Amino acid sequence: MQFDAGKAARVLNFFRRLKHTKGHWRGVPFTLLPWQEQALSDIFGTVRENGYRQYTTVYMEIGKKQGKSEIGAGVGLYCLTSDDEWAAEVYGCAADRQQASIVFDVAVEMVDQNPTLRKHIKPVLSLKRLIYMPTKSFYQVLSADAVSKHGFNVHAVIFDELHAQPDRALYDIMTQGSGDARKQPLYFVITTAGDDPDRHSIGWEVHKRAEEVLLGVKKDPTMYAVIYGLDRENRRIWTGREYETAPGDWADAATWRSIWSDKKIWAKVNPSLGHTVTLDKVEDHDTQAQGN
């Protein structure tokens, strides 16, 4: 494992040429926040001895309104256009077509606002597909409600909201052997925490694997994990690739309420706070989550 500063700089420069797509941010150049820059640098700059990416699976768990759709769309477009892969197949996957279209629609807007990408990418919106004509590559939406999908030659998959998958079928099809013919396939999972009290879902399985890798319990040099959030059971405050252990008994309802109301903790688990999300929005989301 080694770090290629040139490859890291290439993906960061690509993102900086993109623009935001929603609300008053639309048209504003994509200025990467420190957590985003670090993650992208690590993922695309860490390589094997042959120069290809070290990480084939990325698990990025983060709260709502933290810019995850923009990161997913940017990664999809980079893998489509700038990964030196002929006839690359890039897929955007989610539980249903509407969810799978969220990241794709952001990508479409990013293309529309970039003259270079607009010149070389042909959108086929009726099929939810972007075609990068110079290398005959495409970015295609798929969803679990149309799961009869086999025979793919995957270069990259952007998996949105893995916790919402009704079963493991789509995830297994898209990640098990689908990229064997590629030099550096990338399975990029970007998700909120979700809720799985029975802990049998594919979302929980991949979350636990990511936790074990971060904790050093499991060795997997092909997985890059980032988690922002609260682990009530273990009293962990996840702050990306590290965690803090908070004092007190989180099983106690009063203590747990104090954790939710601590704005210092909000800042730790919402790394885009003050940029893509405001404090009142975090409070709204956290109040809702606390009541669930």
Side-chain angles (χ1 to χ4, degrees), residues 38-290:
Q38 184 66 61
L40 290 169
S41 294
D42 290 347
I43 293 163
F44 289 90
T46 306
V47 298
R48 294 170 281 162
E49 290 184 359
N50 60 11
Y52 296 131
R53 274 193 297 271
Q54 173 73 32
Y55 300 113
T56 57
T57 300
V58 173
Y59 181 81
M60 188 175 286
E61 181 179 311
I62 195 165
K64 295 180 179 179
K65 306 301 180 183
Q66 300 296 304
K68 73 180 183 66
S69 296
E70 284 73 16
I71 288 291
V75 168
L77 289 173
Y78 184 84
C79 291
L80 176 69
T81 64
S82 304
D83 234 359
D84 300 324
E85 187 75 19
W86 183 263
E89 296 180 19
V90 179
Y91 295 96
C93 296
D96 56 52
R97 186 174 174 85
Q98 181 177 0
Q99 182 66 48
S101 297
I102 292 175
V103 173
F104 175 83
D105 290 345
V106 172
V108 170
E109 282 288 306
M110 286 178 167
V111 170
D112 189 56
Q113 295 183 79
N114 183 290
T116 302
L117 292 179
R118 192 168 63 243
K119 178 180 178 181
H120 296 294
I121 292 178
K122 176 184 177 182
V124 186
L125 299 183
S126 61
L127 299 178
K128 293 291 182 180
R129 173 178 289 215
L130 294 174
I131 301 171
Y132 183 58
M133 294 177 288
T135 61
K136 301 186 185 303
S137 301
F138 65 79
Y139 174 3
Q140 175 71 56
V141 166
L142 295 177
S143 57
D145 52 12
V147 79
S148 56
K149 306 170 180 69
H150 296 280
F152 295 110
N153 188 355
V154 170
H155 175 58
V157 178
I158 313 302
F159 233 112
D160 190 25
E161 299 293 19
L162 185 61
H163 70 87
Q165 284 294 305
D167 53 47
R168 63 181 306 125
L170 182 62
Y171 184 82
D172 286 348
I173 288 171
M174 300 309 295
T175 62
Q176 294 184 1
S178 63
D180 287 353
R182 299 292 183 176
K183 297 175 294 187
Q184 48 181 1
L186 182 64
Y187 310 110
F188 194 97
V189 176
I190 187 162
T191 185
T192 52
D195 183 30
D196 179 15
D198 297 327
R199 299 183 176 181
H200 296 313
S201 68
I202 183 60
W204 177 258
E205 178 184 318
V206 180
H207 164 85
K208 288 304 295 181
R209 177 182 161 204
E211 268 194 340
E212 289 169 351
V213 168
L214 288 173
L215 293 170
V217 174
K218 180 173 290 185
K219 301 295 183 183
D220 185 352
T222 68
M223 184 178 212
Y224 186 86
V226 177
I227 299 176
Y228 286 95
L230 301 179
D231 176 357
R232 185 176 184 180
E233 182 178 344
N234 297 293
R235 293 188 296 113
R236 293 190 186 117
I237 303 170
W238 281 104
T239 58
R241 291 176 55 76
E242 298 178 340
Y243 71 91
E244 301 173 14
T245 302
D249 179 9
W250 284 16
D252 175 70
T255 302
W256 184 237
R257 282 196 298 272
S258 72
I259 293 295
W260 275 112
S261 62
D262 190 335
K263 295 181 180 180
K264 292 181 180 178
I265 292 179
W266 292 355
K268 291 179 179 180
V269 300
N270 293 279
S272 298
L273 187 63
H275 298 276
T276 63
V277 65
T278 57
L279 196 60
D280 61 315
K281 294 298 183 182
V282 173
E283 185 171 13
D284 289 344
H285 290 311
D286 285 351
T287 300
Q288 294 166 8
Q290 183 182 353

